[in-house]
Amino acid sequence: GLRLRPAALSDPTRHRGGAMAAAAAKTRALRSRTKSISDLAEPAQSSVVQLATYFIYICAVLAGLFYDLVDLVLRRNRRRDPDGYAALVKGFDSFYSRHLASRLWNCLNNVVSSSPGAVIDVVVRERNKDGKVVLTNKHKTCLNLGSYNYLGFADDWQSTCKERVMGSLDTYGVGTCAAGMEGGTLAVHRELEERVAAFVGKEDCMIFNMGYNTNASAIPALFGKGCLIVSDTLNHCSIVNGSRASGATVRVFRHNDVE
């Protein structure tokens, strides 16, 4: 008969153990070639920039305290809330909104009075005698760098898809005001998912309302503790936030430099 040495016998357990050991070795090698997020973080600002930032912040706080002191001495109440309405914020929140955040209003939350195309009209705002920012009848033309107008519909929608857009608003409204699992999925959503799935040759698909939500929601559903995510250091923040929310181990490499 044929005699086999014990070493030649097939041992599934040993093979599985060897495969797991090889996978663990590859993971350790990958981790040795990559670095943690903190290692590849943006270089720290110089001490001069940091000191200047803190100095400006402290000056703004001191200026706010001085104005409040003057109002107290002169018995002026600039924080008066409209009659019949409770104060929205109190304490330091009120101080911050009045003396710090309000100083940035001319840079943030601009009011747009035109279609959000490549060029937009922005309403000019001014401060009244009470220090509040008010709208004027003046407008200025600005270059738009902040809209999700990737396909350019905001520029020519009235001539390309106005009738369909207005028709969909009449039929479905502006929005469902609910999550997809709680009454937020309409028949038109399922129709779109079925068409996309047929186009890419899959059984089904899931659509999201925006790209950020796609990555931030899908990544935690696909990965979890015990998983390893290898990510480019310049990946979009939606991928970064989705990876962090997943609980998986995240390793990053320098942009376009996997090796």
Side-chain angles (χ1 to χ4, degrees), residues 27 30-40 219-220 223-253:
T27 302
L30 179 60
R31 290 180 176 179
S32 65
R33 293 196 302 267
T34 59
K35 297 183 178 181
S36 64
I37 295 178
S38 59
D39 294 333
L40 291 180
I219 293 178
F223 301 93
K225 292 184 178 180
C227 297
L228 173 64
I229 298 177
V230 182
S231 176
D232 191 300
T233 188
L234 294 184
N235 271 341
H236 191 265
C237 61
S238 61
I239 299 178
V240 174
N241 291 338
S243 300
R244 290 175 176 174
S246 68
T249 300
V250 181
R251 296 292 174 177
V252 296
F253 56 88

Side-chain angles (χ1 to χ4, degrees), residues 13-34:
T13 303
R14 181 171 60 84
H15 287 297
R16 286 198 300 270
M20 294 177 62
K26 290 182 179 180
T27 302
R28 288 194 297 270
L30 179 60
R31 290 180 176 179
S32 65
R33 293 196 302 267
T34 59

Side-chain angles (χ1 to χ4, degrees), residues 7 20 49 54 59 70 92 98 112 128 143 206 214 222 231 252:
M20 294 177 62
V49 174
Y54 284 115
C59 289
V70 172
F92 181 77
R98 288 183 293 107
V112 179
N128 58 16
L143 184 64
M206 179 182 295
T214 303
L222 298 174
S231 176
V252 296

Side-chain angles (χ1 to χ4, degrees), residues 71-208:
D71 291 340
L72 180 63
V73 173
L74 299 180
R75 297 183 178 180
R76 295 184 304 186
N77 185 12
R78 297 185 181 183
R79 291 171 285 179
R80 183 181 304 154
D81 298 302
D83 294 338
Y85 292 89
L88 293 178
V89 290
K90 296 180 179 180
F92 181 77
D93 291 339
S94 174
F95 177 87
Y96 184 87
S97 63
R98 288 183 293 107
H99 296 298
L100 299 178
S102 62
R103 300 184 183 279
L104 302 176
W105 283 346
N106 285 336
C107 302
L108 305 173
N109 302 326
N110 287 288
V111 179
V112 179
S113 60
S114 65
S115 299
V119 178
I120 55 178
D121 293 331
V122 178
V123 179
V124 177
R125 295 175 294 182
E126 297 177 352
R127 290 185 181 274
N128 58 16
K129 60 181 181 180
D130 295 329
K132 295 183 179 180
V133 178
V134 296
L135 301 178
T136 66
N137 295 326
K138 303 177 183 178
H139 299 80
K140 59 180 178 180
T141 302
C142 301
L143 184 64
N144 182 15
L145 300 177
S147 291
Y148 288 89
N149 186 30
Y150 300 125
L151 301 180
F153 287 142
D155 299 278
D156 58 1
W157 74 279
Q158 297 194 33
S159 60
T160 57
C161 57
K162 177 180 178 180
E163 295 183 1
R164 290 187 292 255
V165 170
M166 301 307 295
S168 65
L169 292 177
D170 293 336
T171 304
Y172 302 105
V174 177
T176 60
C177 300
M181 298 181 63
E182 300 176 355
T185 300
L186 304 178
V188 67
H189 295 144
R190 286 300 303 147
E191 180 183 355
L192 176 59
E193 290 176 339
E194 292 172 357
R195 290 193 178 189
V196 173
F199 179 77
V200 298
K202 301 297 181 180
E203 295 181 359
D204 205 343
C205 79
M206 179 182 295
I207 59 173
F208 292 84

